[in-house]
Amino acid sequence: MNDNLMDKIVSLCKRRGFIYPGSEIYGGLTGTWDYGPLGALLKRNIKEEWWKYTVQLRSDVVGVDAAIMMNPTVWEKSGHLAAFTDPLVECKKCHQRFRADKQDEIKEHEKGHKEKIEWTTPQKFNLLVKAYLGIIEDEQSEIFLRGEITQGAFVNFENVVSSTRVKIPFGIAQIGKAFRNEITPGNFTFRSREFEQMELEYFIKPEEGEGNKWFEYWKEQRMSWYASLGIKKEKLRFRKHRDDERAHYARMAEDIEYEAPFGWSEFEGIHNRGDWDLSRHNLSYIDDEGKKFTPWVIETSGGIDRALLFFLIDAYQEEEKRVVLKLHPKLAPYKVAVFPLLANKENLVKEAKAIYEGLKKDMMIAWDDRGNIGKRYFSQDEIGTPFCITVDFQSLEDKTVTVRDRDTAKQERVEIRKLREYFEEKLK
Ligand code: ATP
């Protein structure tokens, strides 16, 4: 199934409204994607779960939401102007460009040419996306769209310390868009030029930085989060960066990888950034004893789009008679779908509508009255809706409905007045 699994996922995403190619009606824009009605819900749920786990349930982490456009000095100080580069090589035959560190892609390209080809020597290619601000053309200033959301947490370090009651160790969490002029966007949304990150910068005492304590702690936290949302454990692994692949700011780096149809691939990086950023921005911290120092930082940097893609791939299953997305209920775009058994029976529709309207206040609910029940189940399975409610003639008599479970396809009768409690329990 692996061979065409990606094609199936891409097609499902388009057909059911998870993800569309960006600006499609004008021929698209390479490396950009638009999330449709279901994709937008799934993305929201991933972000909400991350925020809950990282901020809401902890007392040592606060959140920020910094601007995407920043003073260019930020990027000079952070080292991105000089070092946020990928090695670019060009095929001398057809002039297509590739990342020299992605040997698989290079080999794949070489296979496509009949004769042996030559490559240019690798050149450093800066990934920051330029933009221009200002209303008078010759006074416009060049800025960069943020290449990582991280810097928004660092430049607000003092603001957060002085406006809240955080004390080291503490973290600043953030979710937001980042932009990179990727040399080879591809593998659907995996490598895009516009994408979203979920990041935590966790500030610790320098003497606790050299050891592995916090690094290991955050590695475990992040891995458990993915596992708690249902990703198969055997498809997840850590991979330590080699010395020659670590980013300019990282003293230690390990990735969380997923075994995608296109191979083991990074979707979150855990980095020990040392005091690189705060010292470059000339920022420090004074503790309760009046001691001044530059904290070290452990960073967890995940991509929402890559996580979403891997949640979809991991949940996708083909069974004898159906395609089912076994998404964790917390992530599923719709939690419940409501159907009247027959669309042309007014009393059934009325009862079903009342249930739909009632549950809608608590969760995302789908309504379907097209075709037969079997088709409706099939349609909801394919988008991962955990439960379907059918209102039938018995419902009118005894005020019960059938509730059908996506994963087992089993049905049970539940009293209408107990539905809210029932789902509260089941969707935990
Ligand atoms: P890669 O080597 O795959 O390009 P990276 O090591 O440069 O990734 P980081 O700078 O560590 O990535 O970024 C942190 C996270 O942001 C990644 O783990 C990934 O989930 C996400 N991310 C980075 N670049 C992209 C991209 N071009 N498209 C989608 N997500 C991305």
Side-chain angles (χ1 to χ4, degrees), residues 99 180 182 190-192 197 266-268 301 303 306:
R99 266 173 68 173
R180 294 184 189 177
E182 295 284 359
F190 179 79
R191 181 163 290 110
S192 311
Q197 294 183 308
E266 165 188 347
F267 67 131
E268 174 145 351
S301 173
R306 286 187 187 180

Side-chain angles (χ1 to χ4, degrees), residues 163-277:
S163 59
T164 70
R165 293 186 303 163
V166 290
K167 295 239 185 306
I168 281 195
F170 75 91
I172 300 182
Q174 186 174 207
I175 293 177
K177 291 262 186 175
F179 304 83
R180 294 184 189 177
N181 201 1
E182 295 284 359
I183 297 168
T184 43
N187 283 329
F188 197 21
T189 56
F190 179 79
R191 181 163 290 110
S192 311
R193 288 185 168 143
E194 172 177 340
F195 55 95
E196 221 163 346
Q197 294 183 308
M198 44 187 174
E199 289 195 343
L200 170 72
E201 307 306 321
Y202 198 76
F203 301 94
I204 55 175
K205 288 183 187 159
E207 57 268 31
E208 292 186 343
E210 291 283 10
N212 287 337
K213 178 178 139 189
W214 287 114
F215 190 73
E216 290 300 322
Y217 171 81
W218 281 109
K219 266 174 58 186
E220 289 314 318
Q221 287 289 310
R222 296 306 304 138
M223 191 60 113
S224 331
W225 186 73
Y226 289 109
S228 75
L229 288 172
I231 293 218
K232 297 181 194 82
K233 288 209 174 101
E234 66 274 16
K235 293 275 182 181
L236 292 169
R237 73 172 188 196
F238 287 113
R239 190 184 68 82
K240 203 171 182 168
H241 279 209
R242 297 181 312 271
D243 286 349
D244 64 344
E245 68 174 319
R246 273 202 307 272
H248 64 278
Y249 50 74
R251 286 169 180 255
M252 237 192 272
E254 277 191 47
D255 291 337
I256 300 182
E257 293 190 333
Y258 180 77
E259 192 180 17
F262 44 87
W264 284 98
S265 313
E266 165 188 347
F267 67 131
E268 174 145 351
I270 322 291
H271 308 124
N272 181 339
R273 293 178 80 118
D275 64 356
W276 168 265
D277 302 88

Side-chain angles (χ1 to χ4, degrees), residues 92-229:
K92 285 192 177 170
K93 186 92 192 150
C94 67
H95 305 292
Q96 240 179 292
R97 294 173 164 197
F98 290 88
R99 266 173 68 173
D101 58 335
K102 297 282 171 199
Q103 280 304 313
D104 293 353
E105 291 170 26
I106 299 232
K107 284 199 188 109
E108 201 52 39
H109 183 74
E110 284 174 342
K111 271 194 228 153
H113 283 285
K114 287 199 184 78
E115 68 277 39
K116 192 165 166 33
I117 49 165
E118 284 183 46
W119 294 95
T120 57
T121 45
Q123 279 175 357
K124 282 185 178 173
F125 179 80
N126 196 297
L127 302 179
L128 287 175
V129 176
K130 284 182 189 157
Y132 298 90
L133 268 191
I135 48 165
I136 303 166
E137 208 171 320
D138 26 331
E139 286 176 18
Q140 277 182 342
S141 53
E142 184 181 270
I143 60 153
F144 303 95
L145 301 184
R146 61 186 180 190
E148 58 171 22
I149 63 169
T150 326
Q151 295 304 321
F154 293 131
V155 299
N156 284 297
F157 178 77
E158 271 181 4
N159 282 336
V160 170
V161 169
S162 63
S163 59
T164 70
R165 293 186 303 163
V166 290
K167 295 239 185 306
I168 281 195
F170 75 91
I172 300 182
Q174 186 174 207
I175 293 177
K177 291 262 186 175
F179 304 83
R180 294 184 189 177
N181 201 1
E182 295 284 359
I183 297 168
T184 43
N187 283 329
F188 197 21
T189 56
F190 179 79
R191 181 163 290 110
S192 311
R193 288 185 168 143
E194 172 177 340
F195 55 95
E196 221 163 346
Q197 294 183 308
M198 44 187 174
E199 289 195 343
L200 170 72
E201 307 306 321
Y202 198 76
F203 301 94
I204 55 175
K205 288 183 187 159
E207 57 268 31
E208 292 186 343
E210 291 283 10
N212 287 337
K213 178 178 139 189
W214 287 114
F215 190 73
E216 290 300 322
Y217 171 81
W218 281 109
K219 266 174 58 186
E220 289 314 318
Q221 287 289 310
R222 296 306 304 138
M223 191 60 113
S224 331
W225 186 73
Y226 289 109
S228 75
L229 288 172

